[in-house]
Amino acid sequence: MEDTISAVATALGEGAVGIIRISGPRSLEIADKIFITPKGRLLGSYGSRHMVYGNIKDIKENIVDEVLGVFMPGPHSYTGEDVVEIQCHGGIQSLQTILRLTFAMGARPAEPGEFTKRAFLNGRMDLAQAEAVMNIIKARSQEALKLALRQQKGQLSDEIRHIRGELKDVIVHLEAIIDYPEEDIEELTFKEVQDCIFIGLNAVNNLLAKAHTGKIMREGLLTAIVGRPNVGKSSLLNCLLKEERAIVSEVPGTTRDVIQEQMLIEGVPLILTDTAGIHKTEDFVESIGVEKTKAILADAELAIVVLDGSEQLRMEDKEILSSIEGREHVIIVNKGDLPCLVDMKALEAKFGPQNILTLSVKTAQGVEEFVQWLKNFVYGAEGSVEKGVFVQNARHEQLLLATKKSLKDALHATEKQIPYDCIVIDLRNAIDNLGAITGETVQDEIINEIFARFCLGK
Ligand SMILES: Nc1nc2c(ncn2[C@@H]2O[C@H](COP(=O)(O)OP(=O)(O)OP(=O)(O)O)[C@@H](O)[C@H]2O)c(=O)[nH]1
Ligand SMILES: [Mg+2]
């Protein structure tokens, strides 16, 4: 890693301040060629970690911008290398001119995520921590930010290392028995091996149980509000959004197109989709809406089925209810301000009382309970994101699933009392997959792929 890289670290556009970051062995040398204080001193002459006022000059010694510069020597910098940051005026011209000067003096353009990649390669952070940097930048809510910060501090990595360490111990022991059969090594019984694997499997399962929360925090929960016409779907969307987004009217078939809005409910990012009421219709435009609704429902991670509590269930309601069987759902019996004509007992018997809520959009009665239901759905037993380790990246989830499979295979092998060699192979797969999360056992291509998804200058 001999070369020195440079990029604009701040968002492009007009801003008060823009930052150019240079990292690598020639950082200071490059800075000293373009930065000069009014008294003619160079940045390097101020030592490390001093914010120094000065000017950037071009090759012809013309002043290009008035800036602040700071030198952060490795290894205690973000990348672990010598880093210089220049704070200039946050305009595109200023930033691009200074950036080009750094290139002219010997830096090369950084690739997306290359600073953080160097931090990882220099051991400043492991892979899961490096990935958390992007989660921090992309966090959509305070809760998502908290989770990302905890991952960046190494909470997930510590847990993974712990599980991995325990499994490694079992492997080492089993291998000793395999390699030195004549030695007097204390024999691990199949039962003991089983117990150790079981503990590992449990820990992996615990992490996986919370991957669902992490994914929602990262991407938002894709929900579809569905129901037959006129039950109050658009009213519910407006009520949750606290604005009159969708047209509400007493005419059935008011909503014809899909309306999608993003919102936060107590920190839960929701992608809320209001849809056209599902029913058989001769109206061409409306029938397109109904088809779209079905497609949205198929993709949704949560179906919010709205029923009109003031009327008995119709055929259409029943069809919609049967279409959500086997998928995540909540049933809202709306218009709770009117006498209830829906057979709640039959509904509860079929769908379980925990996923059925009575609500009135009109009076807002039951809305709080619905929000609570959503929070339970997202946070599960944890109740919030305040405590616990949450898996936030799809990559980590996939690796944990692979680990789970290997551990299950290993467990199976112990049950059948298959020779230790085979168990060791499964356990090795498990620890390799765990190691790929923290980056200890991961191929270069995957590392490149991960950092390529980062933003430029990070
Ligand atoms: N009494 C009462 N009326 C409600 C309630 N919620 C909605 N409504 C009324 O029900 C009618 C239909 O509401 P919408 O929100 O347009 O219903 P929708 O399900 O979106 O209907 P489509 O778009 O036609 O599929 C409107 O007249 C609303 O004012 C409620 O909680 N109580
Ligand atoms: Mg509507």
Side-chain angles (χ1 to χ4, degrees), residues 226-245:
V226 292
R228 69 168 167 82
N230 223 34
V231 290
K233 298 179 296 298
S234 302
S235 306
L236 180 65
L237 174 91
N238 291 348
C239 163
L240 294 172
L241 272 177
K242 297 195 175 75
E243 74 177 79
E244 297 306 309
R245 171 70 180 85

Side-chain angles (χ1 to χ4, degrees), residues 234 247 254-255 274-275:
S234 302
I247 300 170
T254 300
T255 309
D274 179 24
T275 62

Side-chain angles (χ1 to χ4, degrees), residues 307 309 311 313 318 321 331 333 340-358:
L307 303 174
E311 292 180 15
L313 291 191
K318 290 180 183 160
L321 285 170
I331 299 168
V333 182
C340 181
L341 293 186
V342 169
D343 184 349
M344 293 298 283
K345 288 232 160 60
L347 204 59
E348 285 177 5
K350 188 140 190 236
F351 291 93
Q354 70 282 3
N355 291 337
I356 302 174
L357 300 168
T358 305

Side-chain angles (χ1 to χ4, degrees), residues 18 21 61 73 100 137 155 160 203 219 227 248-249 260 262 321 346 350 368 371 385 396 400 419 443 446-447 452:
R21 183 186 264 168
E61 303 282 316
R100 274 199 293 273
I137 292 172
Q155 202 193 36
I160 297 292
E219 294 171 8
V248 166
S249 88
Q260 197 166 66
Q262 299 201 13
L321 285 170
K350 188 140 190 236
E368 232 170 81
V371 170
V385 294
H396 302 167
L400 283 168
Q443 295 149 348
I446 304 224
I447 293 173

Side-chain angles (χ1 to χ4, degrees), residues 98-124:
I98 301 172
L99 186 65
R100 274 199 293 273
L101 281 172
T102 65
F103 297 155
M105 300 307 167
R108 75 154 167 82
E111 288 161 17
E114 197 171 1
F115 294 94
T116 311
K117 183 178 174 184
R118 288 187 173 199
F120 163 65
L121 294 174
N122 289 325
R124 296 287 292 157

